[in-house]
Amino acid sequence: MAAANVIESKDDQKARASISNSFPVTGMTCAACASSVESILGHTDGVKNASVNFASSSVLVEYDATLVPEDLQKALQAVGYDLIVDAEDPAEAQENLQKQHYQDVKQRTIWSAILTLPVFIIGMFYMEWIPGRWISMLFSIPILFWFGRSFYSNAWKQAKHGKANMDTLVALSTGIAFVFSVFNTFFPDFWHDRGIHPHVYYEAATVIITFISLGKLLEERAKSNTSSAIKKLMGLQPKTLKVIQNGEEVEMLISSVQKGYTIVVKPGEKIPVDGEVSEGSSFVDESMITGEPVPVEKSKGAEVFAGTVNQKGSFQFIAKKVGGETLLSQIIKMVQQAQGSKAPVQKLVDKIAGVFVPVVITIAIVTFITWIIIGGDDALTHALLTSVAVLVIACPCALGLATPTAIMVGIGKGAENNILIKDAESLELGHQTNAIVLDKTGTVTKGKPTVTNWHWENSNDYHKQVLLAIESQSEHPLADAVVVGLKKDGLKPESIKDFHSITGMGAEAQSPDGEKFYIGNQRLLNSKDITLSLATERQANEWRDKGKTVIFFANQLTVLAILAIADEIKESSSAAIKTLQDRGIDVYMLTGDNEQTAKAVAKQVGIEHFKAEMMPSDKADFVKELQEQGKVVAMVGDGINDSHAFAQADVSIAMGKGSDIAMDVAKMTLITSDLQSIPKALKLSSRTVQGIRQNLFWAFIYNVIGIPIAAGVLYAYNGFLLDPMIAGAAMAFSSVSVVANSLRLKAAKL
């Protein structure tokens, strides 16, 4: 009995246990689809939480251990969507499907445009040509029901869930226009006998399908690039590595490495897993973690991380974390989850359509019934004409153009001002930003160490040439900055001998006549009993207070020179930060650098709030804290270490000279890396959103005025009924108004 209770207890524990997995989703074509997938999975027995990321076509699901992924797949397949659960590489399978889908959308859009052109020409310029109606009908059939079939299938999916979106409006208006036109093509005498000229609306239906398809194509193209950042992050980890086994180097796949293995890293190689240095020393570029451009010295006992890059030295290290445990794997996972955890953004047009569609359908039905009741002898004729006129004038062409035309012009305007914009969401949210988080290195500063100050105790070209010779042979990451600084004066290196590095302190060498020279930190001078004058020490401390690295150059008797090396602040940083603050935006600076340097930089550029020694996850957590305070946060950075914070932020802006991964994750990229472009980007967002709102006004003003007239409210006063052809012309004019209004943005000053 006791044993049975124990077994039951274990079963209960298993039932209570939950699994969290991310799955690629197929079949989603709009934000409403994403909402449906989330809702369906959320109501599936055993699922605790489901969060859809429409941009990456994936869903993060937390479910009971008693469920299997196939159960989730079946739930979605029942309503027309699908999960990729059985592929060897789900991400690759999804990418292939995404590419195929993009090509399908591209082909459908191109063929729709080709077939729409003659239909449009006939409808606009040869509307009375009877054979033209038959030609238009034949061309319209494949446009609507083959190349544009997704609008009808998506509308049906939404209808099954009691929802309506842009696809519903497109399917309804084009379907009604086509059916009405087909009737008028086959039975024109029905209207002639009643004294009415039968018009056809093939061009309206086909143009709508083509325009909206073009918008879908642009959306799919943006989505097809969303996985590239994750792929590049994964590419930071090498496929193979070298381990020491039985005293020999053996190459093996990274998937085979285990904790405790001794791994060899040679100059220029990427570190494959996390570990601890056991032998040798080198400098390692850890900018992907800290964002700092200066490589970090590594000797016995120091930690090393996967994805970071070894410089000139060689060393061995013991593997401590492998596979999904490495810091790089955690960064990848955090980026994926931060993107996936965002609620799907329901597009403004879909929201409007969700209300507008039922209202229009209701008005059309009420109009039809009313005319059947009060229409007298011509009840059916008036009922048909008025209800069709209501649906035609409510055509979504202008509504469909309202956002994409403003966005397209806004993106073009951004490009003119060195601002590359990936999607509409960043433009829509940018103007709401009230908190900006700036990375330090490469964003506020130039991201490259340079010699900012020289102080020579006894200046002569010979000593400068000796210094150039020593630093030219040095492997220290700051040596390049000194070499560049000296070569600007046209100097050439002097002959030296017996050069060698002194770990943790600097380097030494001799001149041909035996004079010893030292270059390094103050500990090196102390170890050689070389004293500093009070003036020299005061100068060194003054530079250190400004966050600069101080290097000493001496011979065996005295200090010859001191120099300060720092990552210089960009010329535009202070002015750009003041502009943002003057607009009421809170500015914060985050950095992986030390507290002293961070404080010095923040003071110079006028930033009150800053945090130092921040890891990638710390930056994302800080952004999340600000969001929880109700702020709309823009994150600006340039490194891989900023990618998690980018994914978390409402608006993400990458510096154009930063890493490819940062630019892939970010929604905006500043080509010039000039911070003055940030206020411009936010102003562009404000102007674009203003244009969208104006466009929606123009798209709806005709409906507000025209729908009641189309329904026949004036008939009782003056006998006027709106001809569906005039309704179509009003619809076309609203589209022209929308496009013209969008083009006004091109003349705006940022």
Side-chain angles (χ1 to χ4, degrees), residues 53 109 193 225 460 472 626 658 720 735:
N53 180 6
T109 304
D193 293 344
N225 294 325
N460 63 64
S472 295
L626 293 177
F720 178 77
S735 299

Side-chain angles (χ1 to χ4, degrees), residues 299-315:
S299 54
K300 188 173 181 177
E303 284 186 304
V304 291
F305 303 99
T308 57
V309 182
N310 184 30
Q311 300 294 286
K312 297 177 182 178
S314 297
F315 62 90

